[in-house]
Amino acid sequence: MATAVLDTTLDSRPAAEAYIGGVCFKQGPPRLVGTEVEWLTRDAGGGRPSLEALARALGKHTPTSIDPRSPGAPLPGGSFVTVEPGGQIELSSAPRTSAREVCDYLSEDHRVLRALLRDQSIEMYDGSADQQRQPQRLLRLPRYCAMEHQFSSIGPYGALMMCNTAAVQVSVDAGGSQEAIARRWRLLGDIGPALIAAFACSPQLEGIPRGAWASQRMRTWLELDARRTMHVVDAADYAQWALNVPLMCVRNGTDDWTAPRGATFGDWIDGALEADIGRAPTSEDLDYHLSTMFPPVRAAGHLEVRYIDAQPGDLWRVPIAAIDALLSGPAVMQEASDAAVSTAGRWRDAAEYGLVDVELRSAATSLMSLAASYAPDPEFVRLLDRAAERCCRGLPPVEGS
């Protein structure tokens, strides 16, 4: 999340909204693409690896969330390692000028990371939802304690999301003008349900309440807290929405970051929380608040696509290639918008029914075929054509497809 150069007090909602518009939607020619890919992990006995074992394996690449003294050095291809609350491991690529570059560098870093972990008998394995283990939180940071507290009243979804799921996240530049940003934001939302269906591969999740869903991972988000995870249709509404999202935590120099339940950042600006927090909010507080919101598409200077299941094998390359191709120019963006118009907004249906739904299957197939026709890389054309054929047959992604 982008941060301010100076930490300043926010004394009005208009000032906060202007600040959000500046840090969440950075204007500039769209050139870069990046990704975050997560994997589940297990030790030799099938349990979760200890944080100590992860730190021994990662060495200088250990994230500071595990060892504050670590330099957190990137892997040779530029990717940074992150460990999620349940021991999932994530590679965050450096931003690159093409999906081809992103995938090549990340593939190399994946090989390096897998070898480092293997030395400590830790295995990275494919899966967007843990099918065998109950959720268990390894990271005890105040952020995650506050998150667990906020979500505990909603059922098991918060713990499952934090500890037992994995995703592929694709990040792209916001756009070169307000109009371009609005178009790119709108498209990423409109194609979201069809892409959820296209890449849904988590029908089982241990500990989830009964119910057949194509993406149990996405279900955890949809059932979690609609105020925090809803899709904002128009980019122009993002700032106002963000101020009305309840605070998840308030950093205060202690280990207890619990926020007043139900209170929003806007309430804090309005002075309603002075008795609870004892001070006015700052731009740094707002930066952190923005990082605690989890919509399907999130604005973080660039645009983060957060709705795709982790994929089997090396198929994580396919959604990266698809999104990069579908945003590659005005013509393909218009065609993609037309292909997805009938399924836009059907987030829950996409996660629950996936490609079984005929309308979602048709949209997913069309988008994969369209991406293949605009992809500049021959390998991506082949992968996207295969994805289109698979979607047409109503089949989830499997390794080798």
Side-chain angles (χ1 to χ4, degrees):
M1 179 62 61
T3 57
V5 176
L6 295 175
D7 188 24
T8 58
T9 298
L10 297 170
D11 56 7
S12 72
R13 289 185 183 237
E17 290 182 13
Y19 178 84
I20 292 170
V23 300
C24 287
F25 298 98
K26 295 290 188 183
Q27 289 189 33
R31 299 186 308 109
L32 302 176
V33 60
T35 190
E36 297 177 9
V37 182
E38 296 174 338
W39 290 268
L40 303 174
T41 61
R42 59 191 171 205
D43 60 21
R48 298 176 194 271
S50 69
L51 297 181
E52 293 77 15
L54 285 167
R56 287 195 300 271
L58 295 172
K60 66 180 181 180
H61 309 294
T62 301
T64 55
S65 61
I66 294 179
D67 181 1
R69 301 165 299 177
S70 171
L75 293 168
S79 305
F80 287 91
V81 181
T82 303
V83 174
E84 297 298 307
Q88 311 98 306
I89 202 153
E90 176 184 270
L91 281 179
S92 299
S93 78
R96 305 289 181 181
T97 56
S98 71
R100 174 79 273 164
E101 278 192 302
V102 169
C103 292
D104 286 349
Y105 281 109
L106 195 72
S107 293
E108 180 57 33
D109 283 345
H110 178 214
R111 286 191 286 271
V112 172
L113 177 60
R114 189 167 50 193
L116 290 172
L117 294 175
R118 190 183 301 125
D119 287 343
Q120 292 293 322
S121 299
I122 300 171
E123 179 188 2
M124 302 166 63
Y125 66 99
D126 302 332
S128 46
D130 196 318
Q131 300 180 25
Q132 298 179 330
R133 302 175 299 191
Q134 289 290 325
Q136 177 190 358
R137 184 159 58 89
L138 303 183
L139 292 179
R140 309 305 301 176
L141 300 177
R143 172 187 174 94
Y144 298 118
C145 293
M147 186 182 293
E148 187 172 72
H149 174 77
Q150 287 289 340
F151 294 154
S152 60
S153 64
I154 305 174
Y157 302 104
L160 288 166
M161 174 274 292
M162 285 194 290
C163 302
N164 281 32
T165 64
V168 174
Q169 179 175 303
V170 184
S171 294
V172 296
D173 284 330
S177 66
Q178 290 290 348
E179 294 76 15
I181 290 171
R183 286 194 300 271
R184 287 164 70 84
W185 176 270
R186 170 72 72 156
L187 180 65
L188 289 173
D190 285 352
I191 65 177
L195 293 190
I196 287 174
F199 296 109
C201 57
S202 55
Q204 296 180 328
L205 173 58
E206 179 64 26
I208 197 82
R210 184 175 300 176
W213 288 61
S215 175
Q216 297 284 8
R217 182 202 66 84
M218 193 64 192
R219 179 188 180 186
T220 65
W221 291 107
L222 294 174
E223 302 277 22
L224 187 59
D225 180 356
R227 296 166 299 178
R228 190 178 306 277
T229 64
M230 65 177 285
H231 175 58
V232 181
V233 176
D234 293 317
D237 296 331
Y238 194 84
Q240 186 177 61
W241 167 75
L243 296 185
N244 290 322
V245 172
L247 291 165
M248 191 180 76
C249 55
V250 176
R251 297 182 297 172
N252 54 21
T254 75
D255 290 335
D256 184 2
W257 292 4
T258 304
R261 190 176 289 276
T264 69
F265 200 95
D267 294 334
W268 194 2
I269 292 175
D270 294 339
L273 305 181
E274 185 172 345
D276 297 285
I277 300 177
R279 61 177 179 83
T282 68
S283 55
E284 190 174 86
D285 293 316
L286 183 49
D287 287 330
Y288 203 82
H289 175 65
L290 294 169
S291 78
T292 68
M293 303 186 309
F294 310 112
V297 184
R298 184 166 71 179
H302 53 272
L303 309 182
E304 299 175 349
V305 175
R306 305 173 53 86
Y307 45 67
I308 296 171
D309 280 3
Q311 298 294 286
D314 60 3
L315 291 181
W316 50 265
R317 298 176 298 165
V318 182
I320 300 170
I323 290 170
D324 187 52
L326 293 173
L327 288 174
S328 59
V332 64
M333 289 177 65
Q334 184 59 57
E335 291 182 65
S337 179
D338 293 342
V341 65
S342 66
T343 57
R346 295 185 60 197
W347 299 97
R348 188 179 183 91
D349 289 345
E352 187 169 3
Y353 305 119
L355 295 173
V356 171
D357 182 287
V358 174
E359 201 170 35
L360 285 161
R361 185 194 311 174
S362 176
T365 303
S366 295
L367 289 173
M368 292 300 102
S369 294
L370 183 61
S373 67
Y374 279 88
D377 184 275
E379 182 185 10
F380 289 163
V381 172
R382 177 178 58 83
L383 289 172
L384 289 163
D385 277 335
R386 287 184 178 179
E389 181 183 357
R390 170 182 62 74
C391 289
C392 186
R393 297 170 63 193
L395 300 175
V398 295
E399 191 168 3
S401 64

